[in-house]
Amino acid sequence: MRKSLMAGNWKMHTTREDACRLAEEVMKHCPTFADREVLLAPPYTAIAAVAETVSGSDIIVSSQNVCWEEQGAFTGEISPVMVKDAGGSAAIIGHSERRQLFFETDTLINQRVKGALDFDLMALLCVGETLTERESGQMLNVLETQIRNGLAGVRAEQMARVVIAYEPVWAIGTGKTASKEQAQEAHAFIRELISKLFEKNVAEQMRILYGGSVKPTNVDELMAQPDIDGALVGGAALDAESFGRIINYQKN
């Protein structure tokens, strides 16, 4: 049985004080259920403060990106060692905003994934199609290309620390959400692809999250789908009450 992962991506929001306050409020909503985990991804400047705030809890602290090198002349980057030193144990990689706004390629994203794994971080690899790609029938091709390229060179034994987040670009921050059927179709395709790239047991154990305007009003129906193992939440994660409801989704 796959343990669900409810992840909050705070993006470029919160000062250290704000982040600690939000983390404290989220902790009040964290379940005692053994079947789910919670992850918080504050901005780099607040990773250490949030990690200290949630110390002693089971909350996972993540960075929102990560470099592939331990150190070096990479102005503006943060290394896996720095993430771990700040108290983080995971990294979001390949988010659509990194792909669309900062032109990160599959090759660069693959370097980041392998760098995270080499330093024992959990790697949350984000994939997803644009509205044009979906409407032109290219969705599955786009997902396959992003996943094949993003996981190139990753060994089967490393896949236990890989989480894939399916985020249709057209649903991120727009208020639009893929229907439960659309989301399930994409997740099932991803799981089948992983079984082909690695092994069936790797695919069966892999957690695949849905991201794209996840809200308290739609989380239950999304989480009822057999191949959806959690959520990567943006805007709603900045409100402790809303994120708390998402964390405590109701099983159907």
Side-chain angles (χ1 to χ4, degrees), residues 141-227:
N141 290 336
V142 169
L143 294 182
E144 181 164 357
T145 298
Q146 290 178 347
I147 291 170
R148 282 185 179 274
N149 292 342
L151 296 178
V154 174
R155 302 185 303 276
E157 61 268 23
Q158 294 179 301
M159 289 298 290
R161 288 184 284 109
V162 174
V163 174
I164 292 180
Y166 168 63
E167 294 193 303
V169 178
W170 48 271
I172 298 174
T174 64
K176 299 179 181 178
T177 307
S179 68
K180 60 183 186 294
E181 293 84 7
Q182 289 173 321
Q184 169 58 25
E185 177 192 14
H187 282 236
F189 173 80
I190 292 169
R191 199 174 304 282
E192 179 62 24
L193 177 59
I194 294 299
S195 71
K196 294 176 181 177
L197 295 178
F198 298 94
E199 302 168 353
K200 185 176 181 180
N201 69 309
V202 171
E204 289 176 345
Q205 295 170 14
M206 162 162 280
R207 292 186 288 187
I208 306 173
L209 315 184
Y210 174 77
S213 297
V214 177
K215 303 180 286 290
T217 53
N218 61 25
V219 66
D220 293 345
E221 66 176 18
L222 289 167
M223 290 303 298
Q225 304 310 303
D227 288 297

Side-chain angles (χ1 to χ4, degrees), residues 17-165:
E17 182 179 353
D18 295 335
C20 290
R21 185 182 306 113
L22 180 55
E24 288 175 351
E25 290 299 314
V26 169
M27 286 177 67
K28 297 176 183 178
H29 296 278
C30 283
T32 56
F33 310 129
D35 65 345
R36 62 195 73 178
E37 292 181 319
V38 175
L39 178 148
L40 299 178
Y44 294 137
T45 52
I47 291 175
V50 169
E52 182 176 353
T53 298
V54 303
S55 177
S57 75
D58 294 327
I59 293 177
I60 300 165
V61 179
S62 172
S63 66
Q64 296 177 17
N65 207 347
V66 70
C67 190
W68 54 93
E69 293 286 354
E70 180 176 355
Q71 59 183 4
F74 299 95
T75 300
E77 290 287 330
I78 181 171
S79 80
V81 173
M82 293 172 180
V83 172
K84 294 177 72 172
D85 182 60
S89 59
I92 297 172
I93 301 168
H95 191 280
S96 68
E97 290 161 2
R98 300 304 310 177
R99 296 177 188 265
Q100 301 289 319
L101 300 179
F102 300 99
F103 309 106
E104 293 202 5
T105 64
D106 285 347
T107 299
L108 179 60
I109 289 163
N110 176 243
Q111 286 181 277
R112 295 188 188 282
V113 168
K114 290 189 289 187
L117 296 175
D118 285 345
F119 288 90
D120 297 320
L121 291 175
M122 176 195 295
L124 281 78
L125 172 62
C126 300
V127 299
E129 80 284 0
T130 64
L131 183 59
T132 299
E133 289 166 340
R134 170 174 277 274
E135 291 181 340
S136 63
Q138 294 300 305
M139 178 190 75
L140 299 184
N141 290 336
V142 169
L143 294 182
E144 181 164 357
T145 298
Q146 290 178 347
I147 291 170
R148 282 185 179 274
N149 292 342
L151 296 178
V154 174
R155 302 185 303 276
E157 61 268 23
Q158 294 179 301
M159 289 298 290
R161 288 184 284 109
V162 174
V163 174
I164 292 180

